[in-house]
Amino acid sequence: MLRCCLLNYPWDGKNPIAYYIQRTGYLTIAQAGALTDDLLTKLQTGSYDFVFLHLSTTDELIPKHYREILNAQRRFIITSPFPKHLYQAYELAPVSYLTEPYPFERFLKCIELLIP
């Protein structure tokens, strides 16, 4: 199983990420939560195969220490209901970007391209 860390995702049933991860059969959610100091520590010390960050608004504040850790991840993916170009000033360098709503096939293609 490949381990995923989900950052900043709503758990109200409106975001399909958890369902898509479970549906693959080879991904698992190892960690999930808000952008807290505790989760930052887990991100720094844990080993994750994929790190997903959800950006729900175009003015969301991503702390600098989070940006540095996220940009160092090999498989860092952003999901958002807004187009990628609206986040150019965020100084984030994801390897992929998924604009919501995205179908399972798009999610799967993104993951499979990143698996060696």
Side-chain angles (χ1 to χ4, degrees):
M1 290 289 235
L2 298 173
R3 296 167 40 90
C4 299
C5 180
L6 305 182
L7 302 170
N8 212 31
Y9 280 89
W11 292 104
D12 59 4
K14 294 182 181 180
N15 198 311
I17 192 83
Y19 173 68
Y20 285 177
I21 286 172
Q22 178 185 5
R23 191 172 163 192
T24 66
Y26 57 86
L27 296 176
T28 186
I29 299 172
Q31 192 67 50
L35 301 177
T36 62
D37 289 340
D38 181 49
L39 192 55
L40 178 65
T41 301
K42 290 177 182 177
L43 189 58
Q44 290 171 315
T45 60
S47 175
Y48 304 103
D49 297 293
F50 289 92
V51 175
F52 294 89
L53 172 65
H54 182 258
L55 298 175
S56 58
T57 67
T58 56
D59 60 352
E60 201 157 348
L61 179 63
I62 307 297
K64 183 178 180 178
H65 50 284
Y66 254 101
R67 290 192 310 260
E68 292 169 353
I69 298 301
L70 289 170
N71 287 334
Q73 301 297 313
R74 286 185 352 184
R75 297 180 187 124
F76 165 42
I77 300 167
I78 291 177
T79 65
S80 177
F82 300 100
K84 180 180 180 178
H85 73 273
L86 295 178
Y87 297 104
Q88 289 176 345
Y90 275 55
E91 298 176 5
L92 291 169
V95 295
S96 192
Y97 185 94
L98 296 170
T99 304
E100 299 168 359
Y102 49 90
F104 177 69
E105 292 75 20
R106 172 70 179 101
F107 172 81
L108 197 56
K109 182 178 179 180
C110 171
I111 297 300
E112 289 176 348
L113 288 173
L114 297 173
I115 297 175

